[in-house]
Amino acid sequence: MNQKKHIALIVDDEPDIRELLDITLSRMNIKTYSAENITQAKDLLNQHHFDLCLTDMRLPDGNGIELIKYIQENISSLPVAMITAHGNMEYAIEALKSGAFDFISKPVDLNVLRNLVKTALKLSDTKTEETIEDQNEQYGLLGKSAAIKETRKKIQKLARSQAPVYIHGESGVGKELVAKLIHEQGPRADKNFVPVNCGAIPSELMESEFFGHKKGSFTGATTDKQGLFQAADGGTLFLDEVADLPLAMQVKLLRAIQEKAIRPIGSQQEISVNVRILSATHKNLAELTDKAEFRQDLYYRINVIELEVPNLREHTEDIPILAKHLLQKIADEWQTETPKLDKDSLKALNEYSFPGNVRELENILERAMTLHENQVITQNDLQLPDASSKENSIDDELSLNTTLLDPMLIQKEKEVIQQALEKTKYNKTAAAKLLGISFRALRYRIKKLGME
């Protein structure tokens, strides 16, 4: 079976660059058409179907941004990459914001170019909207609300780009899930998605974790170690809680992103890496930048496109769907039957403000699974704070200190389990029966609560 021959459009007024790109793409079995300016490029776009467009920034009758915008408006499915002067990140970022798939700097690194072209051509196999919807459901971005549908649309669009995306939203909204969906629906889906919590890495180990090290480069470096950038090569690196990066590390990270290369500790050579950067934090990054607690140049580099994930208060109509899904998930883990929420418990969930968002919903339902009887979860089983009182406004509820709230609920759950164990003289099978849950579920809760 003959492989489809892809076609690319090269737009540059320099004959040497056009020739270099033509030779490189021809060796990749890609047919090319060339244009010296925007007018010629538009004529060719109207005459042929292209799988990729490479355009220079400066052209005799305008600039590449104009062409990118034209393609976005008329042939939005065509990936277009910008060729910029070396170090001109301002134009590269402007191109990405305008809808460019990616960018490459002069002098053109042929290895970087080939990686860019391969990634772009994978977009030829475009997923249908139905497939995207199925995939959103599959990975758990559930809901029928306008807010969630709009988020799905944005994810679908961002998946087609290589632009860095800054995902922000409150704790517990599902920022990592959104990042994973962007990865899974894009051309890098067959490569690694590497999530890293920037706040969880000790500062002295950070450079080694991100860039790797050579054997003997420092005390304790007994073998060569691959860093996170290399682990994500060809795929996506998700920097969660990026605001927690120390300033010294921010400088090194910025250079790695801009140069698309890293240098492991102890190495004399740089290694090219082909990584898409997605980042997230629940903190206000713009505010931290104003206070000089986060580097402005890194902020502009990772915040090329911004995606806000809605909090649960903005789509409360999705709570029944989410609750059903989460109960099924917990029941599958515990190998027990899935209970149902009664009318009052559903009403209470809909009226609660969820300062901890979907993560808090999951924790509440997990506790309710421990407390419920006869396969029905009641309002009392939910143990919602102030669930029976509507005196507090939503603003008051939002100001609740959830770090103090969780220990209270955990302590209550421990007391209930402890009472059941004492009543049954520590017979876990009998205690589970008394609590109305399976032995496996009880064992899971005892372990999770540190009661072993």
Side-chain angles (χ1 to χ4, degrees), residues 132-149:
I132 295 295
E133 281 297 309
D134 290 345
Q135 209 169 38
N136 274 290
E137 295 279 331
Q138 179 188 343
Y139 287 100
L141 192 67
L142 302 173
K144 305 292 182 189
S145 65
I148 288 297
K149 283 181 179 177

Side-chain angles (χ1 to χ4, degrees), residues 260-310:
K260 298 185 179 181
I262 54 147
R263 180 177 290 162
I265 298 173
S267 175
Q268 299 303 310
Q269 293 182 320
E270 285 199 330
I271 301 167
S272 290
V273 283
N274 170 26
V275 171
R276 184 179 188 187
I277 300 291
L278 304 178
S279 58
T281 181
H282 70 282
K283 296 179 181 177
N284 188 326
L285 215 50
E287 202 174 275
L288 292 175
T289 303
D290 291 341
K291 291 179 184 174
E293 292 174 20
F294 195 86
R295 287 186 66 95
Q296 190 176 56
D297 46 8
L298 179 59
Y299 173 65
Y300 287 129
R301 190 66 192 86
I302 63 173
N303 187 26
V304 173
I305 299 173
E306 197 169 307
L307 175 61
E308 184 168 5
V309 184

Side-chain angles (χ1 to χ4, degrees), residues 103-250:
F103 72 93
I104 189 166
S105 300
K106 292 178 183 177
V108 174
D109 181 317
L110 295 185
N111 189 42
V112 173
L113 173 64
R114 282 190 285 266
N115 282 333
L116 182 152
V117 170
K118 284 175 191 172
T119 306
L121 293 180
K122 285 179 186 175
L123 289 173
S124 302
D125 183 24
T126 307
K127 295 178 175 77
T128 63
E129 282 196 22
E130 292 75 19
T131 307
I132 295 295
E133 281 297 309
D134 290 345
Q135 209 169 38
N136 274 290
E137 295 279 331
Q138 179 188 343
Y139 287 100
L141 192 67
L142 302 173
K144 305 292 182 189
S145 65
I148 288 297
K149 283 181 179 177
E150 184 60 29
T151 304
R152 284 196 196 117
K153 277 185 187 174
K154 287 177 182 174
I155 288 169
Q156 184 181 351
K157 186 175 181 182
L158 294 176
R160 292 187 56 82
S161 168
Q162 292 303 289
V165 179
Y166 168 53
I167 304 163
H168 67 99
E170 295 177 7
S171 289
V173 291
K175 295 186 286 291
E176 184 173 336
L177 171 64
V178 167
K180 192 172 184 185
L181 281 167
I182 292 171
H183 168 78
E184 294 290 349
Q185 293 174 17
R188 296 175 177 268
D190 58 340
K191 299 293 183 181
N192 289 340
F193 172 78
V194 179
V196 51
N197 186 333
C198 298
I201 305 172
S203 56
E204 65 273 14
L205 298 177
M206 205 160 264
E207 190 175 353
S208 170
E209 286 295 311
F210 275 102
F211 308 133
H213 62 247
K214 303 296 285 182
K215 180 181 176 181
S217 56
F218 55 86
T219 305
T222 54
T223 59
D224 286 357
K225 181 190 172 181
Q226 189 183 64
L228 293 163
F229 268 86
Q230 284 173 280
D233 193 26
T236 303
L237 183 62
F238 173 53
L239 305 173
D240 198 7
E241 297 307 342
V242 71
D244 292 340
L245 283 171
L247 286 167
M249 189 61 206
Q250 290 176 29

